[in-house]
Amino acid sequence: MSFEFISTHLDERKAQQLLRKRYIVQSATARTITVNDKSYLNFASNDYLGFGDSPVELTSAPLLGSHSSALVTGYQQPQQALEQALCSALGYEAGMLFNSGFSANSSVIKALFQDKATAQHSAIFQDKLNHASLIDGALHANAALIRFNHNDINHLRSRLEKSKARNKLIISEGVFSMDGDTAPIKALFALAKQHNAWLMIDDAHGFGVLGKTGLGSCESLINEACMPDILVITFGKAVASSGACVLGSQHFIEYMLQFNRDYTYSTAMSPFIASHTLARIKSIRDANDKRAKLNANIALFKRLAAEQQIALMDSNTAIQPIVLGCAEQTLKASEQLKQQGIWLTAIRPPTVLHNTSRLRITLSAAHSHDDIAQLVASLQKAIA
């Protein structure tokens, strides 16, 4: 019978405790969430600063829809203003907006190596723990894909030295979404220059949170001339909006305008979203109190977890995973936490490697001391 593989694959996922499902969220803030008329403390949101709870005030009311592709009539003043603000803040010549970080990441890589003749002499070097959007982009590009061990500069150096590619692109995340640790961006930049390579950084989980004024993983490098050749900023995490912006040289962005199919054939970002995002970014630059509260919450969680001998990964960011290994055990722990009023996500393969299923805890500036104490007490019961 046609398409019987669908049932087979679904049954396999279910047997392996890997079947995914959606929940209808009735309401949510950075601190709480309501599902099926029950309220929980929310430790699964990426709204790290709690800005999603704050309204954005605009002096004008931009259009909700852009009504066409950016290359037709969809590129309007609000989108240009957002691009220019990010370029000015981070020191780039040009930028282009996308409706999602996934689209930005995957399409940039595909477009950069769209020419098969060029791709034959090109290679993409990716950290083994990079986000699916980055991996998918490379898998659908025409260049060779070479993986290096997570945050291992020596392994990457060895890979680069063995490569005969003329065009080399190194890709990493600023903050890794499932482990919460950070990339050695300055060392990656230096290695890239030694090998005449480009560096691309996806800073989805760093922007807004890291840096003196929240400009992310690369803020401290702006004055050191160590910025990545391509920087991807996404707005769905600390900015509490949606969409993304790719930043680079004017030459690079011009190339993307010609060959990036996602950009060419997608309706442009909403002017309404662009205006709200720009207003939110301006607020983030001054949100030192929220960043301080978030950092205090991270330190508190790590201290309380250590007191209860709960093993954490090496992360100093808002992402604090607890690796349990077994998918079934992780699902059970997640359900037990829900019974105690704690909502967080059980992350299982293929999102993470086999036998590394985990509870992915995300902290926010919106959480209180008592919230975090309740979380740790509940974790102790759920994973004992």
Side-chain angles (χ1 to χ4, degrees):
M1 186 173 68
S2 298
F3 298 98
E4 59 184 331
F5 68 87
I6 292 178
S7 295
T8 301
H9 290 175
L10 286 174
D11 290 342
E12 289 174 355
R13 277 284 175 95
K14 187 174 183 179
Q16 296 166 355
Q17 302 295 318
L18 301 179
L19 195 66
R20 296 163 169 166
K21 62 179 181 178
R22 298 183 292 181
Y23 296 90
I24 300 173
V25 177
Q26 293 164 282
S27 65
T29 69
R31 180 177 174 266
T32 62
I33 186 170
T34 301
V35 178
N36 292 331
D37 296 324
K38 182 177 179 179
S39 293
Y40 306 82
L41 285 175
N42 186 3
F43 287 98
S45 171
N46 292 327
D47 183 7
Y48 303 126
L49 299 178
F51 267 114
D53 307 339
S54 305
V56 175
E57 296 183 4
L58 299 177
T59 56
S60 61
L63 294 173
L64 175 60
S66 60
H67 306 149
S68 72
S69 163
L71 297 182
V72 183
T73 62
Y75 186 55
Q76 301 169 30
Q77 194 278 328
Q79 294 101 318
Q80 183 191 46
L82 177 54
E83 291 173 354
Q84 289 179 340
L86 287 168
C87 287
S88 176
L90 289 155
Y92 284 90
E93 293 178 351
M96 59 194 303
L97 298 175
F98 289 82
N99 287 313
S100 75
F102 198 107
S103 175
N105 280 338
S106 62
S107 68
V108 161
I109 299 167
K110 288 185 292 184
L112 196 57
F113 300 107
Q114 51 81 31
D115 179 68
K116 291 184 178 180
T118 299
Q120 289 179 353
H121 305 286
S122 304
I124 304 165
F125 299 81
Q126 294 230 35
D127 189 295
K128 285 188 175 181
L129 296 188
N130 274 354
H131 190 266
S133 57
L134 298 167
I135 301 301
D136 279 14
L139 290 173
H140 290 92
N142 293 310
L145 171 59
I146 301 170
R147 310 289 290 276
F148 61 92
N149 293 336
H150 178 52
N151 277 347
D152 190 333
I153 292 295
N154 289 329
H155 191 223
L156 173 58
R157 179 182 293 108
S158 174
R159 296 287 203 183
L160 288 166
E161 289 173 350
K162 292 177 182 177
S163 174
K164 297 180 179 179
R166 184 181 308 150
N167 309 295
K168 305 181 185 73
L169 177 65
I170 301 168
I171 307 177
S172 183
E173 296 185 53
V175 175
F176 287 86
S177 59
M178 291 299 116
D179 284 35
D181 56 347
T182 57
I185 297 177
K186 192 171 182 179
L188 289 171
F189 178 88
L191 194 58
K193 295 311 139 188
Q194 290 173 15
H195 292 271
N196 194 30
W198 276 18
L199 175 63
M200 175 178 175
I201 295 293
D202 168 18
D203 205 26
H205 296 272
F207 186 76
V209 177
L210 301 182
K212 187 176 180 180
T213 65
L215 288 178
S217 303
C218 299
E219 181 169 357
S220 63
L221 306 177
I222 294 174
N223 295 324
E224 298 185 34
C226 296
M227 294 296 284
D229 301 274
I230 306 169
L231 178 62
V232 181
I233 300 296
T234 64
F235 309 132
K237 279 70 177 180
V239 182
S241 180
S242 65
C245 188
V246 175
L247 301 169
S249 68
Q250 184 66 54
H251 205 53
F252 165 73
I253 295 299
E254 183 63 33
Y255 189 87
M256 287 294 113
L257 289 174
Q258 311 311 314
F259 297 106
N260 191 303
R261 291 171 62 85
D262 283 41
Y263 190 81
T264 300
Y265 300 111
S266 293
T267 299
M269 176 186 282
S270 157
F272 183 83
I273 293 293
S275 295
H276 277 68
T277 300
L278 179 54
R280 179 61 52 69
I281 289 173
K282 291 177 179 176
S283 298
I284 281 175
R285 299 292 302 277
D286 296 323
N288 293 329
D289 55 339
K290 288 181 178 289
R291 279 185 286 276
K293 178 67 185 307
L294 174 61
N295 288 330
N297 282 347
I298 294 168
L300 173 64
F301 172 74
K302 294 182 71 171
R303 178 173 65 80
L304 294 179
E307 290 174 359
Q308 299 301 325
Q309 298 183 324
I310 297 173
L312 302 176
M313 298 188 70
D314 185 19
S315 166
N316 290 314
T317 70
I319 301 167
Q320 293 289 323
I322 298 176
V323 176
L324 300 181
C326 170
E328 183 177 7
Q329 180 188 359
T330 305
L331 270 179
K332 286 182 178 179
S334 179
E335 289 303 315
Q336 288 175 13
L337 287 164
K338 287 184 176 67
Q339 294 173 16
Q340 299 177 66
I342 301 292
W343 190 279
L344 56 81
T345 308
I347 303 294
R348 297 157 290 157
T351 303
V352 293
L353 297 174
H354 186 62
N355 288 331
T356 69
S357 292
R358 65 198 62 187
L359 299 171
R360 181 181 182 267
I361 298 163
T362 52
L363 302 170
S364 169
H367 289 124
S368 69
H369 182 288
D370 289 345
D371 295 339
I372 295 172
Q374 182 178 337
L375 168 65
V376 173
S378 299
L379 283 168
Q380 185 186 26
K381 295 175 184 177
I383 64 178

